Amino acid sequence: MLVATLVGSILTGTATADEPVNTEQLVAEMNQRIATIMRSSPIDGVIPRFNQAKSLGCLDATFRVHESINNEFRQGLFAQPGSYRARLRFANASQQDDSEKDIRGLSIKIFGVKGETLWGESGIQDFLLNSYPALFVGTPEDFLDFIRARQEDKMVGFFINPFDSHLKSLWILFKARAVHSSPFSIRYWSTTPYRLGTDDSMAVKYSVTPCSGTSEPPAGQPGKDQLRSAMKAHLDRAPVCLEFGIQKRTHPGDMPIEDASVIWAEDVSPFHTVATLTIQPQAFDTPEALAACEKISFNPWQSLPEHQPLGRMNEVRRETYFSASQLRTKEAP
């Protein structure tokens, strides 16, 4: 029966590779399909995000750029030491139940940044990270195939269609999805690359890690909101400390720009800490705070030119993230 189900799913899916489309056409189809998916599954009358659907909480923080940074990393936000006000959103990628395996997300919005931005509001720098160092799809074309399969309820065919399989994507999701004890104990990665500087001579990725010597955070009350509960338990006891690091692209052949499913090896190019995030105890889980958290949006192109997103995956993210944010704002209750 299982085999018959899988074969049926495959045969009703796309049997051959799609004709190439330009980026503008690709983004237009992505936006249309993402909007349909988002509208089809409201939660308590609220349209959820296509990705990072459940807000675990949004918290105020301080982003402190260190004084002792390697000279090659002193670009843009990291050019001078200093402290900035920041807003952090922790989230589940797809699950509403915190006890389920999932990929977790951390989005960072930094305020009071000097310089004009590439897109969006002046004075703001966004960073977007996930709890696994690579995306499960490497190219915009693969991402569009995934969106089509999700909308048409043909996920089995997306992963194991013998004519156009995505077995690597399935393997990455298998490794990436996990049960976590606390969002504060997780390491996060940018997954996609970014420029560092005023030209394309250096590409980097980012990571956020619990500060060295940090004790294991207390567990939350078991249940569908246990990660949010763990965050509260930690903040009721002490501040949270996280380190922000940069990894330099040193071997272009093994560290591609255009394949977001490839992990850049840390034994070849380690991350260097350039800043510290500190979250002081605060109330973040009231109904009003969670409602405000749902309204905040992030975009990798909300950025200084020195941290410009690189690659076609980042190119399509600019428009798809903005379109999804506009939809959520327009149709918010």
Side-chain angles (χ1 to χ4, degrees):
M1 179 64 72
L2 177 58
V3 173
T5 300
L6 293 179
V7 172
S9 298
I10 292 169
L11 293 179
T12 57
T14 301
T16 59
D18 294 312
E19 291 296 322
V21 295
N22 64 36
T23 300
E24 184 177 347
Q25 292 173 313
L26 188 146
V27 168
E29 183 177 347
M30 281 183 176
N31 287 341
Q32 181 272 321
R33 289 181 178 273
I34 287 173
T36 300
I37 293 169
M38 291 171 63
R39 287 192 177 104
S40 69
S41 53
I43 300 173
D44 296 328
V46 176
I47 295 178
R49 299 167 201 252
F50 177 73
N51 186 34
Q52 308 299 341
K54 179 180 179 179
S55 296
L56 301 173
C58 288
L59 301 102
D60 292 322
T62 299
F63 187 95
R64 180 177 62 83
V65 178
H66 294 178
E67 294 184 5
S68 55
I69 297 177
N70 292 350
N71 285 336
E72 62 181 342
F73 297 141
R74 292 183 179 275
Q75 302 285 342
L77 179 65
F78 312 109
Q80 299 292 334
S83 293
Y84 300 86
R85 181 173 67 88
R87 186 76 168 160
L88 278 55
R89 179 179 181 263
F90 295 88
N92 293 343
S94 59
Q95 298 293 334
Q96 291 297 313
D97 186 339
D98 297 355
S99 67
E100 298 290 334
K101 286 185 177 181
D102 204 358
I103 300 170
R104 319 296 168 177
L106 168 60
S107 300
I108 303 170
K109 188 177 293 291
I110 301 172
F111 301 92
V113 178
K114 294 181 180 179
E116 291 300 315
T117 54
L118 293 168
W119 178 95
E121 300 180 54
S122 297
I124 297 177
Q125 172 72 48
D126 287 357
F127 295 108
L128 290 78
L129 308 99
N130 289 325
S131 60
Y132 191 74
L135 294 182
F136 73 98
V137 289
T139 66
E141 288 77 13
D142 285 343
F143 187 38
L144 178 56
D145 283 346
F146 169 76
I147 295 169
R148 288 169 175 165
R150 181 170 166 183
Q151 182 191 357
E152 297 166 8
D153 196 22
K154 296 177 181 177
M155 295 301 295
V156 174
F158 169 77
F159 288 114
I160 65 173
N161 182 341
F163 303 102
D164 186 23
S165 66
H166 296 84
L167 294 178
K168 181 181 179 181
S169 295
L170 183 61
W171 178 240
I172 291 174
L173 282 178
F174 174 77
K175 293 188 294 182
R177 297 174 71 249
V179 174
H180 296 98
S181 60
S182 170
F184 298 151
S185 65
I186 301 172
R187 186 177 179 187
Y188 302 89
W189 292 263
S190 66
T191 68
T192 54
Y194 298 81
R195 169 192 289 177
L196 187 65
T198 56
D199 56 41
D200 291 338
S201 62
M202 188 187 303
V204 301
K205 290 186 177 182
Y206 305 118
S207 183
V208 170
T209 310
C211 292
S212 55
T214 301
S215 58
E216 182 66 22
Q221 292 294 323
K224 68 180 184 66
D225 294 322
Q226 64 188 39
L227 292 179
R228 188 178 295 155
S229 175
M231 294 165 69
K232 184 177 187 305
H234 187 131
L235 290 171
D236 284 345
R237 185 187 65 178
V240 174
C241 178
L242 304 170
E243 294 177 339
F244 188 97
I246 295 178
Q247 179 190 34
K248 181 181 177 182
R249 183 183 189 229
T250 56
H251 293 70
D254 299 322
M255 299 176 170
I257 297 295
E258 294 297 349
D259 189 345
S261 68
V262 175
I263 298 172
W264 291 6
E266 293 186 41
D267 58 344
V268 174
S269 179
F271 280 86
H272 298 266
T273 300
V274 296
T276 298
L277 282 155
T278 303
I279 308 171
Q280 296 292 343
Q282 59 193 273
F284 70 92
D285 59 343
T286 65
E288 295 78 13
L290 293 174
C293 188
E294 276 303 307
K295 296 178 181 179
I296 193 172
S297 62
F298 299 85
N299 194 300
W301 290 84
Q302 176 66 67
S303 169
L304 293 175
E306 292 88 344
H307 310 304
Q308 177 180 321
L310 299 176
R312 291 178 65 241
M313 279 294 286
N314 272 329
E315 184 179 349
V316 302
R317 290 169 90 196
R318 175 179 54 205
E319 301 304 327
T320 56
Y321 282 30
F322 176 67
S323 179
S325 173
Q326 291 290 96
L327 175 63
R328 292 191 301 109
T329 300
K330 178 180 178 182
E331 301 192 14

